Amino acid sequence: MSRLQDGTRKVLSISEVLGVKDEKVDLQEIFTFERIGVTDTGKVQGRFKATGIMPKILERLRISGVQLPPAIFEEVVPVKM
């Protein structure tokens, strides 16, 4: 979560926690917000983009009955502001 130049707050990254190594949290970014411009009124424009990395927790979710389509980890979704 971060405040953008237009004053809005947006989630800029979604990561999976892989573990802790040497007292540091090891993260793997799954989705990222990509800024693509600013409107005439100053609103930040962007999209959420998958990094292409499949989360390691997918197998545990599948075993628990949660099915996620693999294609969501390859998508780009525009954000309408």
Side-chain angles (χ1 to χ4, degrees), residues 21-81:
K21 294 178 185 173
D22 300 322
E23 297 186 23
K24 292 174 74 176
V25 178
D26 189 20
L27 300 174
Q28 175 170 271
E29 190 172 45
I30 307 298
F31 297 98
T32 187
F33 181 76
E34 180 178 78
R35 295 177 197 181
I36 57 174
V38 179
T39 67
D40 294 337
T41 60
K43 291 285 187 184
V44 173
Q45 297 294 293
R47 58 191 183 179
F48 285 102
K49 184 176 177 182
T51 61
I53 297 171
M54 301 289 271
K56 297 192 182 309
I57 197 159
L58 281 182
E59 181 61 18
R60 285 178 51 194
L61 290 173
R62 187 189 64 73
I63 291 169
S64 299
V66 178
Q67 296 287 335
L68 295 174
I72 68 170
F73 300 105
E74 300 167 5
E75 289 182 348
V76 175
V77 179
V79 176
K80 296 183 174 116
M81 307 212 214

